[in-house]
Structure formats: structure tokens, C-alpha cells
Amino acid sequence: MALQVFTAVTGAAWESELVGALDRQDHGVTVVRRCVDVADLLAAATTGTGQAALLSAELRRLDGAAVARLTAAGIAVVGLVEPGDSGATDRLRQLGVARVLPADAPPEEIAEALRAAVSGAPSSGHDVGDPRAALPVLGLPPEPATRPAGRGRVVAVWGPTGAPGRTTVAVGLADEAARLDVPTLLVDGDVYGGVVAQLLGLLDESPGIVAAARQATAGTLDAAGLARLAWAVTPQLRVLTGLTRADRWPELRPQGIGVLLEEARRLSALTVVDCGFSLEEDEELAFDTAAPRRNGATLTVLAAADEVICVSGADPVALQRTVRALAELRDVLPDVSPQVVVNQLRRGPVPGDARQEIASALRRFAGQEVRAFLPADRRATDAALAGGRTLAEVAAGSPLRTGLRTLAAELAGVPATTGRRSRRSG
């Protein structure tokens, strides 16, 4: 049976000739619809009559979100560019189109690329409206077998609802890694109420992550552009500020966040992302198309991260929430293996030896070992919050700061005793 293909290359001088060549000769490809724009193509994708889409880089309003929706609908995508246009090729690849050919390629080569795209298209096993449907396609070409030298690591700091101190841990890890001479980017990715800027005394009201995600979705973000959007807090630490209003969460689409993380790997040796707590899938909502999902950004970060740190509190209520959150994470992203960090450890809430009791409870009820315990130090955290400074700046000898420094060194793969004191540059 011939491969059913949609085309969306209107406006190109070679479009009619190419469609005619594909239809006239026996290439095993049939063009079932010639779409006039992205909206027409997305509507056609929902009909179930096609298996692949052939589109041009010049297609108006083409972005990464559209490519992700096509993939989620089971449509393999192949791009065509004007011969020699490397810029258009790079843009399509950033949008998530892995196979890109020059427009003057022979029809049989284009037909073969379409067949290869269909046979190699990932199947998510989820409905088009499920936020997990777009996770295998983060707007990037397939990963090479070996990573290029200099590719940075991404650490996601996540945890259950409540106040386990996710942001305090994320800020502390990023600051300590930077003080160990590791180029670090701190990203505020909390879609429910990011406060990284407030903790660091950054008064700018423009959310850097929104601008970066917008450029990523449009296929125009690069490492240099990401650097310009981030605050240079110290010589080794940049901060990409978060949403100034929680109702702006629709601007953080999963595909854009995936591209952002890839550029972050090119910009910094270590990227620390402060994530939102919720993994809800909003299954009571019924849509015919891939509607925006609030927690899609969080799921994308967790799926793409090299390491996921689950921050738990050290009292019975927080521990119960952690056990439930870990179970939910296993259900939604079974391939993610989080590391548990117990924060705010102190005497009182847990009788006996708190470390031993907490470790035993998490091992028994969640099947998780505790990677690190971070002691409660209210005086130091209050001083840091009041001054908009980091723990290292207001309480260099704090035991909490020592614990964060040790963990940061492990995550960055450097000795905890190296590095020099760094001062804010702006």
C-alpha cells in the first residue's frame, strides 16, 4: 500500500513539480492532501488519513509546537529547504525535524526519506492530548551515540507539594557549583510560583525563561542568545528568571523547554532547574487536539535531566507526601530514577535517630535510598532571604551550606575543596 503523505510547501516554485513527480512515478508515495498552512496541516493530521508530512522551512507560523503536535498525532515529518540554505536546515532541526533534504533532491530520495521517517517514528503510546505524548520529541534531532565533548549536565530539583525547600536547594546547589569554578546556569522552571529572582535579590520583572522558550519554539534560540537572556550573578553563575505571574504558564510549551535545555547544555557545564511540584495530567479535560498542559514543562525537564533530585522535608507529613510523589513519578515517567535529598533535618518531628528512621521509612514505603541529609538552619536561611543573598554570602560556616557544597561537588564531578570565592558581577 502506498504511503499516505500530506504536503505543506505552498509558495515554493518547485512545489507543483515535486508533487507531480511523486504522484506520477511509482515511488510508493501518494500525496493525499496539499495543505496551505500550518493550521490546515494540523487539522489534516487529526483525520487519520496520512502517515507523513513533507513541509518547507518557509512555511508560515511553523514552530516547534506544531512539529511536536504532528509527531504526537503519529505523523512523521520530513523537511525541504532551498539548496545550500544551511540556516533553514539548522532551524528545522531545532524545531524537531530530524530528516531535512534539499528541495532539488530526486523524488525517489525524498520518497525514501518519507518511508524511513515513518518506519523510524517514535510511538509514545499516549493519546495526542496526553502531556507525555510529546516527551519523546523535545524539538531536537536524535541523540548521537556519543555525546560531544563539553556537553553540560542538567540537574532537575523537584519534590512534592508543601515547603520542603526545593528552591533553597536549587539555588544553593547552583551557587556552590559556581563557587567551585563550574560554569552554571540556574533556571527557574516552576510554573506555579517561581521565586528564584526574589531569593537572589533580582528585581527585574521580565521572565527570562519565557523569552528563551519563545525563541526556542520559533527555532531561533542559540547558546549566545540564552546567555543574553540570563542574569550574570557571578562570573560563573547565570540565572534565567521564572514566571512573574503564574497565569503565564501557557507560554512554557514542552517543546520549547526541551530546546532550551539543549542550548543550556551548550552554554554551561551544569544547569540546575527548579521545577514545579505537580505531575497531574488533567485527564478530566477532553480535547480533540493537543491542548496546552500546565505540567508539560515539568515533565519535559524531568524526562530530559541527567539527574533528578527529589527534595523531601524531614517530618511525617512531608515524608508521606514524598512517598506519594515518588509513586506518581514512577507512574508518569517510569524511566526516571530520582535521588532523594532530605532537607530541614532536625530533632523533634521524628522520634529517635531521625536519620535512621527517615532512611528506613523511605526504603520501606518508597523503595528509595537517601542520597543526602541537609540540616535545618533557620537562622542562616532567614538571613539569606532577608538580604536577597546566598548562604555562602551570609553564613559561610552554616552546616546547611556545607551539605549543599558537598552535594554540588558530587553533581558537578569536582572536588568539594576546590574553587575560589566569587563576587556578584551584576
Side-chain angles (χ1 to χ4, degrees), residues 167 188-198 242-244 274:
T167 303
D188 190 342
D190 189 342
V191 295
Y192 287 90
V195 293
V196 167
Q198 286 79 1
L243 298 177
T244 52
D274 182 19

Side-chain angles (χ1 to χ4, degrees), residues 246-261:
D247 61 358
R248 296 189 67 177
W249 65 264
E251 298 179 61
L252 301 184
R253 296 297 183 94
Q255 188 277 338
I257 295 298
V259 175
L260 188 159
L261 293 178

Side-chain angles (χ1 to χ4, degrees), residues 284-310:
E284 79 271 16
L285 299 178
F287 292 96
D288 293 331
T289 59
R293 295 301 175 97
R294 186 166 194 168
N295 303 313
T298 299
L299 292 170
T300 299
V301 173
L302 295 176
D306 299 286
E307 190 114 36
V308 173
I309 300 296
C310 175

